[in-house]
Amino acid sequence: MSKRRRNRSAEKLLGTSPGTLTYVGQEIEHAIKIKRIDYNATDYHIDDRSRLSACKLPNTESPYVSWVDVDGIHEPKVVAALGQQYHLHPLLLEDVLNTEQKPKIDLYDDTVVFVTLKMLHHSHQLQEIDIEHVSLVLGKNYLISFQEERTKDIFQPVIDRIKASSGKTRRNGADYLLYALMDVIVDHYFVITERIGDKMDELEEQIVQEQATQQTLATLYKLKRELAFIRRTVNPLRDMIGLLLRGESELIQHSTMPFLSDLSDHINQVIETLESYRELIAGLMDVYYSIVNNRMNSVMKTLTIVSAIFIPLTFIAGIYGMNFSNMPELRSPTGYFWTLFVMAFIALGEIIYFKRRGWM
Amino acid sequence: MSKRRRNRSAEKLLGTSPGTLTYVGQEIEHAIKIKRIDYNATDYHIDDRSRLSACKLPNTESPYVSWVDVDGIHEPKVVAALGQQYHLHPLLLEDVLNTEQKPKIDLYDDTVVFVTLKMLHHSHQLQEIDIEHVSLVLGKNYLISFQEERTKDIFQPVIDRIKASSGKTRRNGADYLLYALMDVIVDHYFVITERIGDKMDELEEQIVQEQATQQTLATLYKLKRELAFIRRTVNPLRDMIGLLLRGESELIQHSTMPFLSDLSDHINQVIETLESYRELIAGLMDVYYSIVNNRMNSVMKTLTIVSAIFIPLTFIAGIYGMNFSNMPELRSPTGYFWTLFVMAFIALGEIIYFKRRGWM
Amino acid sequence: MSKRRRNRSAEKLLGTSPGTLTYVGQEIEHAIKIKRIDYNATDYHIDDRSRLSACKLPNTESPYVSWVDVDGIHEPKVVAALGQQYHLHPLLLEDVLNTEQKPKIDLYDDTVVFVTLKMLHHSHQLQEIDIEHVSLVLGKNYLISFQEERTKDIFQPVIDRIKASSGKTRRNGADYLLYALMDVIVDHYFVITERIGDKMDELEEQIVQEQATQQTLATLYKLKRELAFIRRTVNPLRDMIGLLLRGESELIQHSTMPFLSDLSDHINQVIETLESYRELIAGLMDVYYSIVNNRMNSVMKTLTIVSAIFIPLTFIAGIYGMNFSNMPELRSPTGYFWTLFVMAFIALGEIIYFKRRGWM
Amino acid sequence: MSKRRRNRSAEKLLGTSPGTLTYVGQEIEHAIKIKRIDYNATDYHIDDRSRLSACKLPNTESPYVSWVDVDGIHEPKVVAALGQQYHLHPLLLEDVLNTEQKPKIDLYDDTVVFVTLKMLHHSHQLQEIDIEHVSLVLGKNYLISFQEERTKDIFQPVIDRIKASSGKTRRNGADYLLYALMDVIVDHYFVITERIGDKMDELEEQIVQEQATQQTLATLYKLKRELAFIRRTVNPLRDMIGLLLRGESELIQHSTMPFLSDLSDHINQVIETLESYRELIAGLMDVYYSIVNNRMNSVMKTLTIVSAIFIPLTFIAGIYGMNFSNMPELRSPTGYFWTLFVMAFIALGEIIYFKRRGWM
Amino acid sequence: MSKRRRNRSAEKLLGTSPGTLTYVGQEIEHAIKIKRIDYNATDYHIDDRSRLSACKLPNTESPYVSWVDVDGIHEPKVVAALGQQYHLHPLLLEDVLNTEQKPKIDLYDDTVVFVTLKMLHHSHQLQEIDIEHVSLVLGKNYLISFQEERTKDIFQPVIDRIKASSGKTRRNGADYLLYALMDVIVDHYFVITERIGDKMDELEEQIVQEQATQQTLATLYKLKRELAFIRRTVNPLRDMIGLLLRGESELIQHSTMPFLSDLSDHINQVIETLESYRELIAGLMDVYYSIVNNRMNSVMKTLTIVSAIFIPLTFIAGIYGMNFSNMPELRSPTGYFWTLFVMAFIALGEIIYFKRRGWM
């Protein structure tokens, strides 16, 4: 997990001119897939395998919202061509390609709102969180979405909703579409945190029932790192939505505000949940350590009690095991029994002492 | 406790359109109960089992304050119908139903103030805090309150005060009613924190008198989690009241401000108490660990003293237990007594040494 | 200490209407004592046992500053009557009676400045800090001070200064009197922190000279709690004075500002001292734990050295204590001496090894 | 590493007048090298070994951007002369020479923007980070860059780009050059953090596979210090760029803003990476300690089990090793075998007990 | 050190009127020394032992800057007289005398800037930091400096510079003098932090080379307290200079601003260095504890290995030391050798086991 997230290319890129388009993510063989969806309240048209040339900056008076859904960002040339057709800034395109880019929002001269964020999946086979770099470019009447190529288009539910009926998505503009796409991504954050929550319930059970092992701690530590990672992914979104809510871009219509505000609420809820999980993990670690410590104390007490009782007795036995020629006690017929009696007395005394101090 | 609080429905809701009304709380069989209370300084009318159709947006010139007290939110249809009759935003209704929604305030276009917060009860049988999702919708002349269904209507004391006499509640408007309902909830926070305080006194007693066990620590840890949970429930209220106090809604009259300011004080007092409890718990944990550590040290010292005294003596006994044919000391008639004397001398020396170092 | 500070009445008050006057402090039998002091630069009149009816809202053109010093707040009726005569808001009176109220300042419509804060005494017999709830009501030309009843009137020094000479207090208005009374209280904070400082010097001495016991730690922990409590009492004052310094009330004259600014300095100094004490306590605890740990290490080392030296030697003695019929060494006339020599050699080797590793 | 970074000259400088030019860095023998580069979109001229006198304040109407690249700051006289020719403030020159100066930005009357920051290299032979003090003076049409002398000019890539083609650098003004030079430095921060990341992966591997030693911890601690150092170097840059982005200097043209904003992003990414590394190190340390603790527990358990089993058995053996004349058991022909049986029984009982408690 | 810093006089001052002039510092016998320096760019006059009466508020048109350097603040009467001659506020004079006053700046009606701060010396004989309370009063054309009496006038270097030549100090006004005096004090902070840095290098060396003792820890702890103390002394200066830089006083001329800004830089550098030292100390403590812990682990391992090997062997020897009449093995001629062989085998097995687990 840690490997993919680090920007391995730093040294390679040293000295290249800023704005150079380079793809730094995983290598992929398929060609980039482009879907083009034009829709309004009454009508829609979907082209699942659009040609690049068909994607053009729509007329600002166009009655349709034009959504270009680009699945795959591993061909810098294609992205560059798209960028040229939509007059996008080279630095914007650089951020689209840079899978290491952290979530951010950029307003380009009130004509373009650029949002980049991370999709998080639980990849089942790898037992880790899979991160997908997503970028959204909102202009007047159009929206372009870029995503890394995976087995599934993450925006399929929105496409399905557009197909299904003339609902909220169809009746609203491109800014609502921006919201809807971000909402899909934020919904996945809930799923991820929920899974972590389940995992944590399991670990808590283990720890509270004193069945935790070194492995449990390692898992807690791994969860802690995952939480930190998700936090870093989700936190910037709060400020990003905040910027839109303050009305800093004219591309966002007034009617979309309540939805963005709702989205902001959801993000806060995710952040708060993450925060509470972090506290919970810290608490669980404390409990674990205290249990381990407690067990250690039991071990030490056992050692002490056994040693403290038997070492003195062994000494007494040692005394009468000596081979001195003149040892009067040895010749007494009751010496052996008296010795046993004294030993029993000492042992009893010690047991009483330990009981009193609460060690037994 | 942790189970109910987690948003179990995240995965289920994945892909549904925003604003879809879904109830995610506990399943309940009874029908929703609706009380309708109309009152002013001179008169009042209470309908304990109002029909849904009787609840309508009152005329803005109505001489009565109209309060609709909805007990139960498990029937999305009923809530949706009420929402339609009062022209409420779908996102508002979504928040009413979403028992996982954290406390917040929303102003809808100066015509509606929407407040959602959490009622906390101590459920006696379960030894846990029971959380109830409460929503308040304030409009011109009217207020709608939603609560999850429990055995008791939490707003009964306010209804009783309305019945009882023409007091402050009757003489003021719907905004004062909003304050009065929030005040009831905040008063319960005091009860909860007081109970936690009692529990903490008990634990402190146990710890200071060195009677604490691993169980005590577990309880401390549980209290810590409860405090964290209450903190997350109460903290947002401070900002919510702050927003009203800044006069951001015209629905709040000037005469209600001192009361809201007083409520704000109460919330701060709860928060401060929670904060001081948190510090107290951290301190108690430190003391507990230090006592455990101290006890461990006593155990180790005992082991060391016993071992350090008897192991050398046993060695000496072992020497004279050897069966060499030529051991001159063994034949000496006073050898045994000299040996005993030397052993006593060594033991005494060690005891003096340990006393000097403060180990005995 | 912790008992008094908790709001024991939360459950009892549940459901009462806001603004109900209830006294929640300690029960007291004496009647409330009221002193009335009227003064200006040339003249003064003091009535030590004023009747309630004599206390009236003075004419705004009155040439005298009128100070009503109320000693005792355990009779809600008396306070309510006073409140009516001076037209005070019910919520203000509620705060005067509520001994659990935390320090705060309230401006009521530019005609009244309400300040409530805590007097701290060191009660000698109880070895604890005694807290007294004090409220100050500043109006045009008049000031009312409320304090819980104790053996001594805390404002006596100010009364004495008024009697003594026509000094700064006499020459200034009611706002300077407000400052003077707060100054008396803040001066006591210095005394309290100084005593805690003395106590801490003592503990530091104990710890650094390695004479600390479990008791020392308990005292440190108690001091830590006291510091936290004082911090919570003093901290709000900073903001309270800040509000007055920003000129938010017209009742505070320009000439009083430098004095309030000086008071603000003093409060900051107290807060800073508390902060440095907190750091100091944390440091002392660390040193204590490190000393305890160090001592434990010495104990363990002693155990290890004694065991590691004598256990192998005892084993050798054990070998030659066996009763096998055929043990050639036993018959050698020098076997015993060789064995002793080998034992000495082993012991010496171990001692050298331990010295090298720095364990001895 | 720590040695170079401390301001060794504090005591020496005591009492000198402010603004005195003194070089406090490493002593160097070579003369300062000055490169002069004049360029615009169509043309460029590079003088690799420029004479000092050739560097003059260019005419504000000059069609060229004039860049003076000063390699070495160990000759205060040369720097002072340059300062005079470009009318630079004495305090600015003091900061150029003061290698202990932390990164900062200063605006001198809208005619000069002064930026000082740190170049970080990984010096391969010394296994440490090498710090180079860099200062940039931006004026109308010109830029002066100062760097400590090392084997390589750190700005060579920019010179190469100017030579190579009429790209972005050539087509833009001196403010873009400022950005380009800062970008070169920030790119090196990525390289440094990447190397630390590699080192940390290595350590994590070691720790998770339980092969960590005391040395591993020392390396973690060293990395932590390096991170803290880099953080202090990089953090001020965020505010510095922020100041330029707010348009506080007229020397920065509007077209350069997106590039500065991009640079700001990069800096944030470095800071965030450093932050996540810090958390990671803390986590790794916790894991390391927990593993060490765990190992210690195994050691103690082994000791306890061995002792608890064999000490009582040895005692029994000791009993029958006593030489009392009257010990009936000794004469029983099966006594020996019964004793062995009892010993085996005791040992077995203890083993079962330990297994049950989970110690074995 | 802690003793002097505490305000011992709190209880004594209880009840005195605010503004009463009382000296609370160390008792001193000498009389206060007053130096009067009048200077401008062309001329200067220094009176080393000025009479009090010679110090008068200069004419605002005076061509000279008039500096009154008061060495000693232990005679309240003298300070009061000076205050009267310069029309200074009583609270200002109180702060001049109060050696417990923390650093602060006060603007008195745009006619006086009052600065109070702390001079720090390393007192060589006492191995501690010596604190000197310094106050600076800046008016139009004049400056009065107050310092506690020590062996040396701390402002002598500035007097020397005035004497030496017509430099920056002579050419500028009283505000530059204020800067110059503060600069002298801040320069001493560098010296102090540098010495602490040296001490810390020494301790780090000790710790890393594992030669640290309990004493090392005590020194670290003492350094930590010193750092905390210096931090509290230096931190307020940042805000104080900030206030002057924002141009809140007209007494500070525009040309002095860059110097104040430079001073602010220096203060930030001191604060940052202190901060990095604090982190360093925390890190060193961690390393120290880890080394101690490690050593403890070695001790325990040694104990465990020796015990685990020899206790079972001793048991076997004990078996054959028993005196049962019927023990067949004893009569076997090779029994002894077989027993030795078995013992060696067991010991070897244990050694291999311990090696495998990495304990040896």
Side-chain angles (χ1 to χ4, degrees), chain D residues 217-235:
Chain D
L217 199 71
T219 313
L220 271 179
Y221 167 69
K222 197 178 150 243
L223 277 182
K224 202 176 160 189
R225 281 188 64 187
E226 283 193 354
L227 281 177
F229 170 70
I230 302 175
R231 213 173 54 237
R232 279 196 300 279
T233 304
V234 179
N235 267 358

Side-chain angles (χ1 to χ4, degrees), chain A residues 292-302, chain B residues 292-293 296:
Chain A
V292 164
N293 202 31
N294 214 44
R295 216 185 279 165
M296 181 77 174
N297 284 6
S298 302
V299 170
M300 293 309 296
K301 272 185 207 161
T302 305
Chain B
V292 164
N293 203 30
M296 181 77 174

Side-chain angles (χ1 to χ4, degrees), chain B residues 25-91:
Chain B
Q26 296 176 304
E27 299 223 353
I28 292 170
E29 294 189 0
H30 316 292
I32 284 178
K33 272 175 282 173
I34 299 176
K35 287 184 195 146
R36 199 152 52 78
I37 303 110
D38 293 280
Y39 66 86
N40 61 14
T42 55
D43 195 14
Y44 74 90
H45 172 80
I46 297 182
D47 181 354
D48 259 1
R49 294 267 166 180
S50 172
R51 274 172 308 129
L52 180 58
S53 57
C55 302
K56 280 189 290 206
L57 192 65
N59 191 309
T60 57
E61 302 304 317
S62 158
Y64 286 91
V65 171
S66 166
W67 172 20
V68 178
D69 182 19
V70 184
D71 200 356
I73 54 171
H74 45 282
E75 292 178 282
K77 278 182 195 169
V78 176
V79 173
L82 253 174
Q84 214 159 20
Q85 279 160 232
Y86 284 88
H87 309 317
L88 303 177
H89 198 283
L91 288 173

Side-chain angles (χ1 to χ4, degrees), chain E residues 291-308:
Chain E
I291 286 171
V292 164
N293 203 31
N294 216 41
R295 217 185 278 164
M296 181 76 173
N297 284 5
S298 302
V299 170
M300 293 310 297
K301 272 186 208 161
T302 305
L303 172 59
T304 300
I305 290 165
V306 170
S307 301

Side-chain angles (χ1 to χ4, degrees), chain B residues 99-215:
Chain B
T99 53
E100 309 296 336
Q101 176 62 45
K102 67 182 187 77
K104 70 164 182 177
I105 191 165
D106 272 335
L107 307 183
Y108 286 88
D109 289 331
D110 235 32
T111 60
V112 163
V113 173
F114 174 63
V115 170
T116 178
L117 66 180
K118 303 290 176 190
M119 178 74 181
L120 303 182
H121 309 267
H122 245 296
S123 70
H124 293 277
Q125 59 275 50
L126 291 171
Q127 284 285 27
E128 324 194 300
I129 295 170
D130 183 34
I131 312 129
E132 192 170 341
H133 182 61
V134 174
S135 304
L136 304 171
V137 179
L138 171 70
K140 180 84 186 158
N141 283 339
Y142 71 93
L143 187 142
I144 315 174
S145 61
F146 296 92
Q147 52 185 295
E148 287 187 76
E149 213 212 347
R150 294 288 189 275
T151 46
K152 221 183 68 174
D153 182 350
I154 56 180
F155 295 136
Q156 195 58 47
V158 180
I159 298 179
D160 292 346
R161 258 188 272 149
I162 288 175
K163 283 182 189 165
S165 75
S166 177
K168 270 197 283 287
T169 316
R170 289 269 292 281
R171 270 179 283 122
N172 285 288
D175 55 337
Y176 184 89
L177 182 61
L178 176 74
Y179 153 72
L181 299 185
M182 289 172 79
D183 192 51
V184 166
I185 288 170
V186 170
D187 278 354
H188 275 88
Y189 295 162
F190 277 107
V191 177
I192 292 276
T193 52
E194 191 168 289
R195 295 245 177 110
I196 290 180
D198 289 347
K199 190 82 201 153
M200 226 138 66
D201 278 356
E202 215 177 273
L203 292 174
E204 190 176 15
E205 195 88 339
Q206 273 179 33
I207 287 172
V208 168
Q209 297 190 355
E210 310 213 359
Q211 296 165 344
T213 60
Q214 179 73 7
Q215 185 54 36

Side-chain angles (χ1 to χ4, degrees), chain A residues 306-321:
Chain A
V306 170
S307 301
I309 291 176
F310 286 103
I311 286 178
L313 303 186
T314 304
F315 164 65
I316 294 173
I319 294 271
Y320 294 110

Side-chain angles (χ1 to χ4, degrees), chain C residues 168 179 194-195 198 201 204 265 269 277 280 290-291 297 300 304 315 322-326 329 359, chain E residues 6-8 10-11 18 100 104 214 217 225 292 296 299-300 302 320-323 330 333 336 339:
Chain C
K168 269 197 285 286
Y179 153 72
E194 192 168 289
R195 295 247 176 107
D198 289 347
D201 278 356
E204 190 175 14
D265 262 17
Q269 210 156 324
Y277 284 179
L280 192 55
S290 122
I291 286 172
N297 284 4
M300 293 309 297
T304 300
F315 164 65
M322 293 194 293
N323 298 320
F324 284 99
S325 53
N326 178 21
E329 299 96 319
W359 297 359
Chain E
R6 199 98 37 67
N7 188 351
R8 295 268 125 198
E11 207 153 355
E100 309 296 335
K104 70 163 180 176
Q214 180 72 6
L217 198 70
R225 279 187 65 187
V292 164
M296 181 76 173
V299 170
M300 293 310 297
T302 305
Y320 295 111
M322 293 194 292
N323 298 320
L330 294 181
Y336 173 52
T339 304

Side-chain angles (χ1 to χ4, degrees), chain D residues 234-254:
Chain D
V234 179
N235 267 358
L237 264 73
R238 179 156 47 178
D239 292 339
M240 287 159 62
I241 303 288
L243 188 141
L244 293 179
L245 280 174
R246 283 197 307 277
E248 300 221 353
S249 170
E250 289 178 14
L251 290 171
I252 307 295
Q253 296 168 41
H254 189 70

